[in-house]
């Protein structure tokens, strides 16, 4: 625990890890720009993160790409964000409104929109009471939408993921990934290149209202 905590303790490494939370692989040059540091400095930080098992490196030709080591690391970071935002007084988020409304949480959706979708699925009985599995009606609805869920996932089929900006749950696990993949394939949401922010298209606004009863401004 102390090794992992020490690896995360530097602000530049925090910036790098937060950038990798969008689920994509980045080069050292891209990560240095995000962290506002020199490329040589970024390389040193990435070596520290690699040695602590928080990131992995993939080589393609002359290029090296870095990504989070897995969902367990993404979950750790998301929980740390929630802890760091805790205050004894009434919570007031300083997160930009667009990012707070819809963003990626590694390979699934987060933010106010994702929380509303989760609430709808719980109310309509798509999810079990503990949020750890799709019910039979939920599986039927996912199939009707075209969201492909792995029948034998190597991780939880679904799980309630605590949203650090909303302080409520959104849908994680394989079902959460399947739902975000569907929205992207349908062109209902668009990812902002280089950021975790997600925007909703005109078609997406119509679909979200029709399926989940969510009115997107």
């Amino acid at each position: 625990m102390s090794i992992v905590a020490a690896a995360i303790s530097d602000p530049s490494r925090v910036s790098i890890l937060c950038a990798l939370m969008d689920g994509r692989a980045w080069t050292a040059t891209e990560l240095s720009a995000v962290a506002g540091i020199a490329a040589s400095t970024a390389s040193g930080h990435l070596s520290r993160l690699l040695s602590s098992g928080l990131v992995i490196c993939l080589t393609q030709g002359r290029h090296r790409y870095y990504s989070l080591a897995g969902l367990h690391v993404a979950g750790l970071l998301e929980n740390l964000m929630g802890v760091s935002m805790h205050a004894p007084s009434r919570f007031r988020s300083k997160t930009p409104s667009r990012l707070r409304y819809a963003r990626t949480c590694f390979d699934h959706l987060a933010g106010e929109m994702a929380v509303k979708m989760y609430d709808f699925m719980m109310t309509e009985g798509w999810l079990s009471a503990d949020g750890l599995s799709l019910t039979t009606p939920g599986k039927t609805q996912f199939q009707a939408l075209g969201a492909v869920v792995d029948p034998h996932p190597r991780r939880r089929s679904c799980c309630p993921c605590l949203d650090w900006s909303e302080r409520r749950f959104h849908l994680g696990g394989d079902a959460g990934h399947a739902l975000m993949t569907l929205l992207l394939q349908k062109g209902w949401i668009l990812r902002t290149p280089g950021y975790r922010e997600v925007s909703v298209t005109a078609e997406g606004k119509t679909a979200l209202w029709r399926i989940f009863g969510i009115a997107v401004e």
Side-chain angles (χ1 to χ4, degrees):
M1 288 174 65
S2 62
I3 292 174
V4 173
I8 299 175
S9 64
D10 184 89
S12 295
R13 291 197 287 273
V14 169
S15 296
I16 289 172
L17 290 169
C18 286
L20 295 176
M21 278 288 286
D22 74 349
R24 290 174 283 195
W26 294 54
T27 66
T29 301
E30 292 169 335
L31 291 169
S32 66
V34 168
I37 55 179
S40 57
T41 304
S43 295
H45 285 311
L46 286 167
S47 295
R48 179 70 176 274
L49 294 173
L50 281 167
S51 64
S52 61
L54 294 173
V55 303
I56 57 175
C57 180
L58 304 173
T59 302
Q60 290 190 357
R62 296 181 299 171
H63 301 285
R64 302 181 72 189
Y65 296 91
Y66 297 87
S67 62
L68 293 183
L71 288 167
H72 61 294
V73 178
L76 169 65
L77 295 173
E78 191 77 7
N79 287 332
L80 283 174
M81 290 175 187
V83 172
S84 66
M85 295 288 283
H86 178 73
S89 59
R90 185 176 181 273
F91 173 68
R92 294 181 181 179
S93 176
K94 295 181 180 180
T95 307
S97 58
R98 290 175 66 111
L99 186 64
R100 193 166 64 245
Y101 186 75
R103 63 181 182 274
T104 57
C105 177
F106 196 59
D107 68 346
H108 57 270
L109 287 173
E112 181 184 342
M113 184 179 78
V115 167
K116 288 181 177 179
M117 293 168 69
Y118 184 85
D119 288 345
F120 175 89
M121 288 185 279
M122 288 295 289
T123 301
E124 295 297 315
W126 293 18
L127 302 172
S128 60
D130 57 9
L132 295 178
S133 61
L134 288 170
T135 62
T136 299
K139 292 177 181 178
T140 301
Q141 292 293 339
F142 264 58
Q143 186 175 16
L145 289 173
V148 181
V149 179
D150 189 341
H152 304 291
R154 290 182 292 177
R155 54 172 167 167
R156 289 180 176 178
S157 59
C158 62
C159 63
C161 185
L162 184 62
D163 196 283
W164 63 265
S165 63
E166 295 301 308
R167 305 304 179 88
R168 291 155 60 200
F169 292 119
H170 59 248
L171 183 64
D174 188 61
H177 172 61
L179 189 56
M180 187 177 82
T181 300
L182 171 71
L183 297 181
L184 287 168
Q185 291 176 342
K186 292 283 188 180
W188 294 344
I189 61 172
L190 297 173
R191 301 180 71 168
T192 303
Y195 297 91
R196 293 178 65 188
E197 180 182 314
V198 171
S199 59
V200 184
T201 64
E203 295 81 2
K205 292 178 181 180
T206 300
L208 287 171
W209 173 254
R210 174 174 54 85
I211 300 169
F212 299 102
I214 298 175
V216 182
E217 297 181 2

